[in-house]
Structure formats: structure tokens, C-alpha cells
Amino acid sequence: MSVTAARLKRVRLLALPVLVLAMATAMLGGRAAAGSGAAAAGSLPCDLYAAGGTPCVAAHSTTRALYSAYNGRLYQVKRASDGSTRDIGVLGAGGYADAAAQDSFCAGTSCLITVIYDQSGRGNHLTQAPPGGFSGPAEGGYDNLAEASAAPVTVGGHKAYGVFIAPGTGYRNNHTNGIATGDQPEGMYAILDGTHYNGGCCFDYGNAETSSRDTGNGHMETVYFGNIKVWGYGTGNGPWVMADLENGLFSGVNRGYNANDPSVSHRFLTAVVKGGPNHWAIRAGNAQSGGLSTYYDGPRPNVSGYHPMHKEGAIILGIGGDNSNSSAGTFYEGVMTSGYPSDATENAVQANIDAAGYAPSTLAGAPTVGSRVSLRATTACCTNDYLRHNSSDSNAAIAAISSSSSSADKAAATWIVRPGLGDASCVSFESADKPGQYLRHYDFRLRVDTLDGSALSQQDATFCPQASHNGQGISLRSANYPSDFVRHYDYGVYIAGHGGSHDWDNTTAWADDTSWVVTSPWA
């Protein structure tokens, strides 16, 4: 045993009584916060990691504080209507996000999450990911930013919002402080929506290249979640928690299949990856109840380049190390540590996560997959008008529909709700009278179309319901243009931002024009 190893072991033994005490308060921390918005001292994840001798060097969350003494900023939102920004903080020290501040600031418009602040004090904030080996869809090749209200939840009974990553969305920090480099040990966890994923590369959170480019095997170490099988996979059809170590998603010691990595789909998922010199592990569990299971704990992959590791210390969220950005997922909180956390520390963190009380938020009036619906406009001019496709061409429009309308007109205003073709957590609308044709945007105009099977066409035909902008019904966000929503304008239908270069981005009546009531089908 080396001198260094002996010293590390002695420190952890001395910290054990503190950790046991912290574990006892971990369960109480979440419960105290549920009533007061503040956590018991020493009970939150980064308090527990510090007690275990592996302090947080990055701590990101849009839902709650991750230190019991933290009383600062969680994230920043930018308002589409005027471009102004607001920091969203916590309700009190160690408490939950002040979602009401976001709701008030973003009322009647849309907002994007521009910064996810680091609570560790090291300034490891996450911002819009720049172009790298792959370019993003936003201006200058940057990735998109997440729509701020796209992932509502409750935590400890308090309303909060997660970070909804659609393909093309990503966050990054290439200039960090204190993040592991080379073969230095580290740990990380992320709380994710275990039902929101895809097979794109790569929905990651953790340590990546500082150049935004693939610089070789072993230059990354992140939590990965999804069902891609190109590099590695586990049992079943996925999704799996794996480690992205660059040029390989690993589920165990072997490249490719490893039998001990199961498919997991908890609505709220705790995903853990940790690594040190020739040793790493994957752990995961239900973030609402129960403990963590260990899916792998052993030596580095038996492939050249991963022992020793060559970590570079950037932080990514929702993308791969080279800015590959075709993945989907939802992030609520996560940390990175200095040093290799013990299982006991992680178990204490999991106990706090369970106690925090994550729960889904139900969207009233949302369309149900498999149902037939019609979509009624809510603007004062047009409350008898419904979204339909034209008879003379394939374009979508709004038009008055009533009991005396023709059967053809009623059918043209009726839609079958399908799982989102480009994101199963959202929806697509199949035309009731044109089977196999879907509502999609093309050059911003909506129309019905037979899709060609491409990823682009499927994204164009996918819309994500969320709370309406005017308090009536719902609004439908474009899956691949996070700040654009389905809007009627001059009786045509478009995806439109709140202000922009197109006529249909006009700010007048935007909140009303982007709000739709889901009704019984006309046909």
C-alpha cells in the first residue's frame, strides 16, 4: 500500500462518524425543506460529500440548493419579449428554487435557461455550448438553450423546473476550476428523467475535453443516459446508465455488451459514475425511493487508452465531448467531486435525494397519446377557429368549424395524438383524414406531410405541450426550435418566436396566438 493510499484511508476513517451523523440527518433534511423551504444543516448532497472527504467542486441544479447553507443563484433565464435576464435563486438557505419568480418574469412570453450556476463557489457555471467537432443549430454554430418552463416538477411540494434537453441543445464550461484532470480521482451524480431519452449521441453530464473536440480515448469521464448501442450497452433494450470515456460508452470492463448493466426507467433516476487510477464504477437508483445499486465496480476498460486516464476537466451537459448534440434528456441536479467518493457517502446522498421529494407535475388540458382531438384558438378574434389543414394545399390554417360544417371540414380539423416521432416525451399529430401524414413545420410554416423517415422530418413533426402563455389551454413548443411555439398569424399557422425577423414573430397578441385549447374531436 502506498503512503498516499494510507493517508486517504485514514482521513476517511476519521470522517466516518461525521458521515454517519450526516446520514441520519439526510432523511430529515428533505422533510424539513418541504415545510419551510430550508434544509437541516449538513444534510444536503454537497454537505454529505464534504463529510465523506470528497467535496463538491461543481454543483448544478435548477430545482434546489445542494448545500444546506447555500442561499444564492441557481440559474438565469432570458426573456424572449425584450431580451432581459433574471437570476432565479432559492426560497431560503438550503431550500428549493423560487419558481414563482420565473413564472412572474416569463409571464406572457417564453424564456430560455442561459446559465446554470455552480453552487460550489468555484465558478464552474454552465452556459451555451460552443461549436466543436460538431456545430450546433444556433447562431455561430452554438447549441440551443433549453426552454425554461419545459420540464416542470415538484420537489418537496414546491414547484420547480428541470433542464429539458432536446436534440441540438447543450451546455458547457471549458475553463473550469478544480475539476479532475489526467488520472485524478473524481465522482459525479445526476438526477435525470428516466423516461426522457433517445439513441442520439450523447446525453452526458461530467468531465470532457477543453477543446470541444475528440482528443482520444480516456479524455472524458461522464454520466451517460440513453439507449444508443453503437459503443456499449447492457441488458434489455435500454435505456442504460453508462460512462462516456470518449470513443466509448462503457457499461463495464468490456467494450460493447456487459450483462450487469440493466435497463432502467425510473421517472426520477439517480445516475452515478466515479473513477480513479485503474478503478471506476457505475451506480444508479430510483431518485424517489430506495438505495443505489452497483452495476459495475472494477478496473478500467480492457481497451488501450483508458489506463491511465487523460481527463481534461471541462464540464458538459446534454452533449458529447466533441459537441455531438443529437441526444435528448432532462436534468434536475448533479455534482462533481474531488476524490473518489465511498459507497457510504453516495448512499447518504441517495437518502437525501429520496427525502427531497421529487414528483412529476401534471399539465392540465394536455392531449393524451392515442386520442383524437381538435385544437381551438384562444385569441379573442378567433375563439370559434380550429387548427386544420387546407383542402386546396397542404398548409395548416385556422378556420371556423361548427356543428353545421361539412364532414370534410370537420375531418380536416381533427388530429390523432401520437408519441412524438422525434422525442417520445412530446407528441406528434397525425391527420385524421390523411392517414400517415403529420403536422410538421417546413420553413417555419405548418403543413401536413408524409415524412421521409429522416431525423429532421421527425423533429419537425414533434411538439412539446407545456403551460399556455395566456392561461388558456396549452402551448405547443417546437421540438427542434426551443424558443418557437405553434402560432396562428393572419390565419396561417407557423412556429414563431416572441419577436424576431419574420412577420409571424410579431409580438402583438403572441401569448394569445400561441395558446390552444384541446377539445373533443370534430370527426
Side-chain angles (χ1 to χ4, degrees):
M1 180 181 293
S2 69
V3 173
T4 302
R7 286 176 179 162
L8 284 173
K9 186 174 182 180
R10 191 172 297 123
V11 168
R12 288 179 182 172
L13 284 170
L14 290 170
L16 192 57
V18 179
L19 181 57
V20 170
L21 250 151
M23 289 177 71
T25 60
M27 293 296 292
L28 296 174
R31 293 192 183 112
S36 66
S43 67
L44 294 185
C46 286
D47 305 321
L48 299 169
Y49 279 113
T54 53
C56 294
V57 289
H60 304 107
S61 177
T62 57
T63 62
R64 63 171 184 151
L66 299 175
Y67 295 82
S68 57
Y70 189 77
N71 196 24
R73 307 173 296 179
L74 296 181
Y75 62 104
Q76 182 188 85
V77 294
K78 181 178 181 180
R79 192 162 57 191
S81 57
D82 60 3
S84 60
T85 61
R86 175 161 182 170
D87 290 338
I88 305 300
V90 291
L91 295 170
Y96 297 108
D98 185 3
Q102 175 183 313
D103 290 343
S104 174
F105 181 74
C106 301
T109 186
S110 65
C111 282
L112 298 175
I113 297 173
T114 47
V115 185
I116 305 170
Y117 291 110
D118 171 25
Q119 300 178 33
S120 77
R122 291 179 173 270
N124 292 322
H125 312 310
L126 296 174
T127 57
Q128 188 173 17
F134 291 84
S135 292
E139 185 177 355
Y142 279 69
D143 292 343
N144 287 330
L145 294 166
E147 213 285 329
S149 58
V153 292
T154 61
V155 192
H158 297 271
K159 184 178 183 181
Y161 294 99
V163 185
F164 188 97
I165 302 290
T169 304
Y171 293 82
R172 194 177 196 115
N173 186 335
N174 284 337
H175 305 283
T176 61
N177 174 15
I179 305 302
T181 58
D183 210 26
Q184 292 175 335
E186 67 178 349
M188 62 196 75
Y189 82 83
I191 306 301
L192 310 172
D193 180 345
T195 67
H196 183 206
Y197 61 90
N198 71 359
C201 181
C202 290
F203 185 73
D204 292 342
Y205 172 72
N207 193 324
E209 295 96 335
T210 56
S211 64
S212 300
R213 286 168 171 80
D214 179 353
T215 52
N217 294 6
H219 284 245
M220 290 179 62
E221 186 166 63
T222 75
V223 170
Y224 163 83
F225 182 65
N227 67 341
I228 193 170
K229 296 180 70 174
V230 173
W231 298 280
Y233 57 100
T235 58
N237 296 318
W240 304 281
V241 176
M242 296 190 282
D244 190 343
L245 305 180
E246 190 54 278
N247 297 317
L249 295 176
F250 288 94
S251 55
V253 71
N254 298 314
R255 188 184 291 279
Y257 174 68
N258 288 279
N260 290 328
D261 197 36
S263 297
V264 288
S265 57
H266 306 299
R267 173 59 179 83
F268 295 97
L269 169 71
T270 306
V272 176
V273 168
K274 53 186 174 179
N278 202 26
H279 183 207
W280 70 288
I282 302 172
R283 308 184 78 204
N286 186 338
Q288 292 180 291
S289 64
L292 296 172
S293 298
T294 300
Y295 299 155
Y296 178 76
D297 188 342
R300 289 291 183 180
N302 53 16
V303 181
S304 176
Y306 301 101
H307 173 50
M309 292 285 284
H310 314 279
K311 292 175 279 195
E312 297 187 26
I315 306 174
I316 56 174
L317 171 61
I319 51 176
D322 57 2
N323 197 46
S324 47
N325 53 23
S326 60
S327 59
T330 300
F331 173 90
Y332 301 106
E333 64 178 73
V335 312
M336 300 175 66
T337 71
S338 174
Y340 190 95
S342 68
D343 286 0
T345 297
E346 291 167 346
N347 293 342
V349 171
Q350 173 68 2
N352 171 261
I353 291 167
D354 289 344
Y358 274 98
S361 178
T362 303
L363 176 61
T368 303
V369 170
S371 65
R372 297 168 73 94
V373 301
S374 293
L375 298 168
R376 181 176 63 80
T378 63
T379 312
C381 65
C382 312
T383 55
N384 293 318
D385 289 358
Y386 290 79
L387 194 157
R388 59 162 294 169
H389 64 80
N390 289 334
S391 301
S392 57
D393 57 34
S394 62
N395 287 336
I398 59 167
I401 304 291
S402 68
S403 57
S404 60
S405 297
S406 68
S407 297
D409 287 341
K410 291 177 179 177
T414 300
W415 308 93
I416 304 170
V417 184
R418 303 298 188 193
L421 297 171
D423 187 330
S425 68
C426 301
V427 297
S428 294
F429 296 97
E430 183 180 5
S431 173
D433 64 338
K434 293 181 178 292
Q437 295 193 30
Y438 287 83
L439 189 69
R440 69 168 293 187
H441 63 83
Y442 185 87
D443 199 19
F444 298 97
R445 182 76 190 259
L446 264 67
R447 67 186 195 185
V448 290
D449 200 358
T450 301
L451 306 184
D452 61 13
S454 67
L456 176 61
S457 69
Q458 291 174 338
Q459 285 288 311
D460 289 349
T462 301
F463 306 94
C464 303
Q466 57 192 70
S468 72
H469 294 121
N470 72 354
Q472 301 180 61
I474 61 169
S475 291
L476 293 166
R477 178 175 50 81
S478 166
N480 51 355
Y481 286 81
S483 59
D484 286 5
F485 291 78
V486 175
R487 179 194 190 171
H488 65 85
Y489 180 81
D490 197 21
Y491 297 96
V493 184
Y494 304 82
I495 57 165
H498 193 177
S501 59
H502 306 110
D503 290 344
W504 52 84
D505 296 326
N506 191 295
T507 59
T508 303
W510 185 88
D512 292 332
D513 293 351
T514 56
S515 299
W516 305 84
V517 172
V518 179
T519 72
S520 299
W522 280 109

